[in-house]
Amino acid sequence: MIKAFIFDLDGVITDTAEYHYRGWKRLAEEEGLAFTREDNEHLRGVARRESLMLILKDRVYPEEQIREMMERKNNYYLAFIKEISPRDLLPGAKELLAEIRAAGLKNALGSASKNAAEVIERLGIRDLFDAVSDGFSVERQKPAPDLFLHAAAQLGLRAPECVVVEDAAAGIEAAIVGGFRSVGLGPAERVGRADIILPNLAGVRLTALLNAFEPIPPNDK
Ligand code: G6P
Ligand code: MG
């Protein structure tokens, strides 16, 4: 029985995945490091420090410099999100959140971002969430299941009662390891391990989703 949905934020509800990319791209250019959009695909859903480590590859930097680079990228990101408004909601996201609530089910946010609370405030959707789990909630980041387990616990539910909605390979992995059902948004090369794969949330209706997970048994009288 499905009782709740746990939504990732960046790339699912709003296109801040693009702003994270631009922030890292600018930092990489300043540091003379190669960093392409293709490289960025591996950073989706990956926390700030781990993202920087993937960009630095095997180069070794003192901790102080690592912190400075993380802060610099975050400042670029913060400048981007200052402009966010409800117009930046991805198609179908708010409609689905509202439909879930209207059906008596719950919504949680499960984002690795430390800026997630500010983004959902600016998008005007804070009230549609029963629980928010973000970059401050757990130590071990995706692909560990901890963040989604934290969200489920806040809702008072068990993993099999919740569906995780994600655009990142690391997020789908976290959902599988945690025992959650999952909807993957994007190409199969990225989210192919999800139970259900969709291009995005545009036109996605709750009843169709629930039926896809729990097909109504055929009437074989
Ligand atoms: C999400 C995004 C990642 C980002 C991470 C940390 O998982 O998909 O691109 O690196 O959050 O975000 P933060 O805002 O804390 O740097
Ligand atoms: Mg994401």
Side-chain angles (χ1 to χ4, degrees):
M1 174 79 171
I2 291 167
K3 295 184 178 164
F5 285 75
I6 303 174
F7 289 86
D8 173 48
L9 176 65
D10 303 308
V12 169
I13 290 174
T14 185
D15 200 11
T16 37
E18 175 67 18
Y19 296 154
H20 282 294
Y21 164 69
R22 291 190 203 170
W24 288 126
K25 179 72 183 163
R26 183 164 169 194
L27 178 90
E29 278 172 3
E30 287 166 350
E31 296 297 322
L33 300 167
F35 181 62
T36 64
R37 272 189 187 274
E38 204 185 328
D39 297 331
N40 187 60
E41 286 298 288
H42 302 286
L43 268 53
R44 271 181 194 264
V46 175
R48 200 181 306 168
R49 177 178 285 268
E50 285 69 33
S51 295
L52 178 60
M53 293 304 138
L54 290 174
I55 293 169
L56 298 180
K57 302 213 174 80
D58 41 16
R59 293 177 189 82
V60 180
Y61 289 84
E63 175 60 21
E64 198 185 320
Q65 210 173 333
I66 288 172
R67 281 174 196 262
E68 185 279 321
M69 287 190 273
M70 283 164 59
E71 196 184 327
R72 201 176 346 146
K73 181 269 177 177
N74 194 49
N75 286 335
Y76 298 147
Y77 182 72
L78 286 173
F80 284 128
I81 66 172
K82 288 276 170 288
E83 307 295 321
I84 286 182
S85 76
R87 285 192 311 268
D88 295 296
L89 282 157
L90 284 171
K94 188 172 184 182
E95 291 79 358
L96 182 59
L97 286 163
E99 205 181 1
I100 290 167
R101 269 298 194 67
L105 277 66
K106 288 183 173 170
N107 290 317
L109 190 73
S111 167
S113 176
K114 291 186 167 158
N115 297 300
E118 178 171 345
V119 172
I120 59 168
E121 277 296 337
R122 289 188 184 278
L123 290 169
I125 54 169
R126 175 65 187 88
D127 293 352
L128 289 171
F129 290 99
D130 300 281
V132 172
S133 295
D134 64 14
F136 297 102
S137 300
V138 295
E139 283 286 321
R140 287 199 310 160
Q141 303 295 336
K142 303 169 190 176
D146 303 28
L147 187 71
F148 296 141
L149 292 170
H150 184 275
Q154 287 204 77
L155 297 174
L157 297 174
R158 295 175 306 110
E161 296 173 315
C162 307
V163 177
V164 165
V165 186
E166 260 288 353
D167 71 317
I172 296 298
E173 192 58 34
I176 293 169
V177 174
F180 295 88
R181 305 176 209 219
S182 58
V183 176
L185 304 182
E189 305 86 70
R190 199 168 77 207
V191 294
R193 298 194 68 216
D195 298 319
I196 296 174
I197 303 169
L198 299 169
N200 50 54
L201 291 178
V204 174
R205 304 300 307 269
L206 176 62
T207 40
L209 267 187
L210 293 176
N211 286 342
F213 280 109
E214 300 174 305
I216 297 156
N219 186 349
D220 56 358
K221 70 175 181 320

